């Protein structure tokens, strides 16, 4: 099994199964004090998360960050919406892309960079059921091929 990089906190493995991922962007994540402590501890779930443009700002929704265990009354709401930080031209480009029907923005990874939490977001279009089965079939064929090559050499 592959080990995750040292600074990577969470990945959304379901995103690549459910969506075709196009362009990706690195966005900053606005967090409170107890949220960043929970993120550093790896207590974040991206599974059902998505990003939405509202009034020229990008918001990360439906991402669960568990309350910090030693946080007392200053703890946060686990499912609150969090603002994503992007450059203005990146936001304008995303706004043009997301206008199309069937296109959404999903979080792919959360990682720490120079002490700050960053989110890798991707522009995604939904897969049909037959596309998902094709992806699974291709992955199994590649595994079988790697297994055969490993045994031969």
């Amino acid at each position: 099994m592959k080990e995750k990089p040292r600074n990577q906190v969470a990945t959304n493995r379901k995103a690549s199964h459910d969506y075709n991922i196009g362009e990706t962007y690195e966005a900053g994540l606005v967090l409170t004090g107890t949220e960043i402590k929970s993120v550093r501890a790896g207590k974040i779930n991206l599974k059902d998360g998505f990003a939405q443009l509202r009034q020229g700002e990008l918001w990360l929704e439906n991402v669960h960050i568990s309350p910090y265990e030693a946080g007392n009354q200053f703890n946060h709401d686990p499912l609150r919406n969090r603002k994503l930080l992007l450059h203005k031209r990146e936001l304008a480009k995303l706004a043009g892309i997301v206008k199309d029907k069937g296109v959404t923005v999903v979080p792919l990874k959360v990682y720490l960079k120079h002490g700050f939490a960053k989110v890798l977001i991707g522009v995604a279009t939904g897969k049909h059921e037959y596309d998902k089965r094709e992806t699974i079939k291709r992955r199994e064929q590649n595994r079988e091929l790697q297994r055969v090559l490993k045994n031969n050499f």
Side-chain angles (χ1 to χ4, degrees):
M1 188 180 249
K2 290 182 182 177
E3 286 187 32
K4 62 183 181 182
R6 205 166 151 79
N7 61 351
Q8 187 172 325
V9 179
T11 58
N12 188 356
R13 296 188 325 222
K14 193 172 168 79
S16 62
H17 178 72
D18 290 342
Y19 301 103
N20 290 320
I21 308 296
E23 290 185 64
T24 59
Y25 298 93
E26 180 183 70
L29 188 57
V30 177
L31 298 173
T32 63
T34 57
E35 283 178 326
I36 188 64
K37 291 180 180 192
S38 291
V39 167
R40 286 187 177 132
K43 309 280 183 169
I44 183 168
N45 185 357
L46 299 174
K47 190 167 134 185
D48 297 325
F50 62 95
Q52 191 173 32
L53 274 164
R54 276 187 270 147
Q55 299 171 353
E57 296 177 337
L58 192 63
W59 292 85
L60 187 63
E61 299 185 12
N62 214 17
V63 170
H64 187 276
I65 298 178
S66 298
Y68 184 58
E69 294 164 1
N72 62 36
Q73 81 245 22
F74 298 110
N75 257 331
H76 58 278
D77 177 24
L79 282 174
R80 78 175 186 91
N81 298 336
R82 294 162 183 93
K83 188 175 177 180
L84 293 177
L85 304 172
L86 287 168
H87 292 284
K88 195 180 287 187
R89 63 182 168 275
E90 290 175 333
L91 282 171
K93 191 173 182 181
L94 269 176
I97 294 171
V98 173
K99 276 194 265 183
D100 299 336
K101 187 173 178 152
V103 177
T104 187
V105 179
V106 293
L108 303 174
K109 289 184 207 176
V110 174
Y111 52 93
L112 299 173
K113 186 174 181 182
H114 305 296
F116 295 104
K118 302 288 184 177
V119 181
L120 184 69
I121 56 174
V123 178
T125 55
K127 283 185 183 178
H128 295 287
E129 192 63 35
Y130 54 85
D131 290 335
K132 293 177 189 178
R133 285 192 298 263
E134 181 67 32
T135 304
I136 292 169
K137 189 167 108 179
R138 194 174 316 118
R139 186 175 357 148
E140 288 176 0
Q141 288 172 347
N142 285 340
R143 277 190 197 146
E144 185 63 34
L145 182 64
Q146 292 299 323
R147 196 175 303 127
V148 169
L149 289 174
K150 182 180 176 184
N151 290 336
N152 287 342
F153 296 106

